[in-house]
Amino acid sequence: AGPTGQLLVTDNQGAWLPASKLMLVDEGDDFGWKAPSDTGPEREVRPPALWLPQNEIGNSPTQPLVLTQGPYAGHILWGDIFNGGLKRGFLETVEGQLQGAAFHFSGGLSAPVNRIIEAPDGTILVGEIGSRGNWGIPGEPYFGLEALRFDGASAFEPLEVHATADGYRVVFTEPLSATPTPDMFRLQQWSYRPDPFYGGPKFGKVELPVSSAALSSDRRSVHLAVEGRLPETVVYMHIDRTLKSDSGQPLWINEVWYTQNALPRSDAPPPNQLSNEEIEAGWRLLFDGE
């Protein structure tokens, strides 16, 4: 449970679940699972707050923890039995939809992470357990108990990613040494389509062109203008490691998986209004193309 009583749950890839995910649970919500033989009518399914693509940032995600202290206060941590280490999530609400960014966070632990507790002094206690089969970290023990503490130094990495009316605003933990170029950010977009089989492929996978990258006055955030975004998709962002902080640090984490349930509305009218036929053709390409 989060500080305000919100209930956060992770779920593993499986039947009717094309990838692992993190979701906010409210009474009466349906998240799409059903027996593989269920051929009943389609139901309204609540999208996850975060999709965790298989073999990239999620295989067997475990208990979420909302941090209340330290440089990542308000962010969410969780472990992963097979993918390993700790992951981090930043959430925002866009047009009434909860969504946000998933990041790798910390590795180097003795065993796969199952449970996490934040102690009163901010120490993160990590309970680790897996198995000797394929539900663990190859070559490592399958159980352990560790304590993690912030040492006061900051890692240079993307801290937050916000969807904007025309792209994304990427906030970093430290000021940048120079204005980045658009080609330092490589973006891909795809969607998922649940089916009764285990997991699922990426549909409509496309590159998203970045037309401009603007650095803020405090040099800590970059606004990217991005073309071709669609709602109900996942966007992968790869940041070139040549990007440096003002103090000369290279990037610690340079990957982001942004779950895009909705797009922010622009205050300005669109320059060209798509016809219903054009919208239908776009959705057909998204779901039927690879």
Side-chain angles (χ1 to χ4, degrees), residues 120-273:
D121 66 354
T123 298
I124 300 171
L125 301 173
V126 180
E128 303 161 345
I129 191 166
S131 74
R132 288 191 173 96
N134 68 346
W135 212 50
I137 304 172
E140 298 289 343
Y142 65 94
F143 56 89
L145 178 66
E146 296 182 85
L148 308 180
R149 299 179 181 89
F150 292 107
D151 64 3
S154 63
F156 176 50
E157 62 182 348
L159 178 67
E160 302 172 0
V161 175
H162 299 264
T164 65
D166 65 344
Y168 304 97
R169 181 167 62 91
V170 185
V171 181
F172 291 87
T173 54
E174 292 191 11
L176 276 61
S177 62
T179 301
T181 57
D183 60 1
M184 298 177 80
F185 298 85
R186 181 171 61 86
L187 276 65
Q188 294 178 335
Q189 176 181 262
W190 66 84
S191 68
Y192 288 118
R193 181 167 59 196
D195 59 42
F197 303 103
Y198 183 95
K202 299 173 180 178
F203 289 92
K205 187 176 179 180
V206 294
E207 301 285 331
L208 292 180
V210 180
S211 56
S212 66
L215 188 60
S216 64
S217 57
D218 65 1
R219 310 183 71 82
R220 279 198 55 198
S221 61
V222 179
H223 179 263
L224 304 176
V226 180
E227 303 171 13
R229 298 179 304 157
L230 288 172
E232 301 179 16
T233 57
V234 178
V235 172
Y236 169 73
M237 180 184 299
H238 181 277
I239 307 173
D240 197 301
R241 287 196 183 274
T242 57
L243 194 69
K244 295 286 196 303
S245 73
D246 218 17
S247 61
Q249 283 195 71
L251 281 167
W252 169 248
I253 297 297
N254 72 325
E255 295 179 292
V256 184
W257 288 263
Y258 188 89
T259 297
Q260 195 161 259
N261 292 324
L263 295 174
R265 296 176 187 168
S266 173
D267 294 333
N272 294 298
Q273 183 66 48

Side-chain angles (χ1 to χ4, degrees), residues 11-220:
D11 200 359
N12 288 234
Q13 183 191 60
W16 299 104
L17 188 50
S20 297
K21 60 185 178 181
L22 173 85
M23 49 200 174
L24 174 68
V25 176
D26 285 326
E27 184 177 0
D29 285 342
D30 189 322
F31 289 95
W33 188 89
K34 51 188 174 182
S37 59
D38 188 348
T39 58
E42 291 297 317
R43 310 185 302 253
E44 182 178 352
V45 174
R46 180 170 182 172
L50 295 176
W51 281 109
L52 307 174
Q54 182 81 351
N55 298 325
E56 296 175 29
I57 193 170
N59 290 65
S60 301
T62 53
Q63 177 208 338
L65 169 71
V66 181
L67 295 174
T68 64
Q69 303 179 56
Y72 300 95
H75 292 217
I76 303 165
L77 296 185
W78 64 92
D80 195 291
I81 297 293
F82 188 82
N83 201 269
L86 289 171
K87 318 301 179 184
R88 174 172 62 90
F90 167 77
L91 299 181
E92 62 178 352
T93 301
V94 175
E95 302 297 330
Q97 296 281 350
L98 191 65
Q99 59 188 50
F103 311 84
H104 290 292
F105 185 67
S106 180
L109 301 174
S110 295
V113 177
N114 185 28
R115 300 295 299 274
I116 317 173
I117 297 173
E118 184 183 46
D121 66 354
T123 298
I124 300 171
L125 301 173
V126 180
E128 303 161 345
I129 191 166
S131 74
R132 288 191 173 96
N134 68 346
W135 212 50
I137 304 172
E140 298 289 343
Y142 65 94
F143 56 89
L145 178 66
E146 296 182 85
L148 308 180
R149 299 179 181 89
F150 292 107
D151 64 3
S154 63
F156 176 50
E157 62 182 348
L159 178 67
E160 302 172 0
V161 175
H162 299 264
T164 65
D166 65 344
Y168 304 97
R169 181 167 62 91
V170 185
V171 181
F172 291 87
T173 54
E174 292 191 11
L176 276 61
S177 62
T179 301
T181 57
D183 60 1
M184 298 177 80
F185 298 85
R186 181 171 61 86
L187 276 65
Q188 294 178 335
Q189 176 181 262
W190 66 84
S191 68
Y192 288 118
R193 181 167 59 196
D195 59 42
F197 303 103
Y198 183 95
K202 299 173 180 178
F203 289 92
K205 187 176 179 180
V206 294
E207 301 285 331
L208 292 180
V210 180
S211 56
S212 66
L215 188 60
S216 64
S217 57
D218 65 1
R219 310 183 71 82
R220 279 198 55 198

